Amino acid sequence: PAADYSLEAIIQDVAQVLRDETGPATVMGISFGGFVAARLAADHPDLVKSLILLVSAHRFSPEGRRSIDRQIACAWAGDFHGFLDEFGLVFRRPWFNWLLRLRFRQERERLHETMNDPAIIVRGLNAVAGQDFGGGSSWLKRIQARTLIVGGTKDPFFDVETMEETARLIPSAQLKLFKGETHMLPIERARDVRKVVAGFL
């Protein structure tokens, strides 16, 4: 990414792809991708027919914000183990978390070979996650697309309050929460999530 890489740049790129390749489309933003999808729907309502935010919202929860800040700090320091460890408890099922941590330990010596340069990681994270969310959320009211928000009540990045706020501020939004599920809801409850999304579409 360029030095001035930003959320706005990503949105413009996606808008251009839609104009050149597909025309108006249903857009799904997953996790951080929800920031892009929601802003795209607000800034380019002619390109987004319907919007799905999956384990996402218009901003992070306070704990999610702290986690991203820790990821950025670890990436800057070249601490890839610490960077990946932030994802070490994202599953609801304990044995998935155990397997994930085991994989990180096995790959510890090779992380510097397989990960991008720290500056590139930080630039990408800052583009999507380093936004100033203190500027208000009135832009959500510009979203004209029918919107579905799907999340888990134990998501560490996007808590219930954040998802409810997003759903309240988007004019035609509905919210589906899965009790006790985490950020890995789409993986751990794939069949149920697919059923909710299919029903919405």
Side-chain angles (χ1 to χ4, degrees):
D4 60 350
Y5 198 52
S6 66
L7 185 63
E8 286 70 28
I10 298 170
I11 291 165
Q12 290 307 315
D13 285 346
V14 175
Q16 195 64 49
V17 169
L18 291 176
R19 283 198 186 92
D20 293 347
E21 304 293 338
T22 69
T26 293
V27 177
M28 177 186 285
I30 304 173
S31 190
F32 302 170
F35 296 157
V36 177
R39 290 275 184 177
L40 177 74
D43 295 349
H44 302 276
D46 57 313
L47 294 176
V48 181
K49 294 190 296 188
S50 53
L51 173 67
I52 301 168
L53 302 179
L54 184 55
V55 291
S56 187
H58 72 287
R59 63 173 176 84
F60 287 112
S61 64
E63 178 52 37
R65 175 75 266 170
R66 287 190 289 271
S67 178
I68 296 305
D69 289 341
R70 289 192 295 267
Q71 288 176 44
I72 290 173
C74 286
W76 236 173
D79 177 11
F80 294 128
H81 185 266
F83 175 80
L84 293 173
D85 204 43
E86 278 298 318
F87 295 97
L89 292 172
V90 290
F91 288 99
R92 177 175 56 82
R93 293 172 175 83
W95 65 277
F96 275 176
N97 288 317
W98 183 84
L99 285 173
L100 190 62
R101 287 183 178 277
L102 178 64
R103 180 62 183 268
F104 288 165
R105 285 195 192 98
Q106 290 174 337
E107 298 289 326
R108 180 192 292 256
E109 301 305 319
R110 297 184 57 247
L111 287 178
H112 284 273
E113 301 170 16
T114 58
M115 300 287 284
N116 273 326
D117 179 90
I120 292 176
I121 295 173
V122 170
R123 204 172 285 167
L125 273 175
N126 273 328
V128 178
Q131 299 294 306
D132 176 14
F133 294 101
S137 49
S138 59
W139 59 272
L140 288 166
K141 296 185 167 100
R142 300 201 313 266
I143 296 177
Q144 299 174 15
R146 290 174 54 248
T147 302
L148 172 67
I149 303 165
V150 183
T153 60
K154 298 294 186 182
D155 191 320
F157 296 104
F158 304 98
D159 62 14
V160 171
E161 181 182 342
T162 304
M163 288 185 282
E164 286 179 340
E165 180 183 354
T166 306
R168 187 172 62 251
L169 291 171
I170 296 175
S172 299
Q174 55 181 286
L175 174 63
K176 171 62 178 176
L177 292 174
F178 285 80
K179 188 174 176 56
E181 296 297 337
T182 68
H183 199 60
M184 289 301 173
L185 165 68
I187 295 174
E188 296 190 83
R189 298 280 298 276
R191 184 176 300 173
D192 295 324
V193 169
R194 183 167 64 241
K195 187 182 298 184
V196 169
V197 171
F200 170 75
L201 295 175

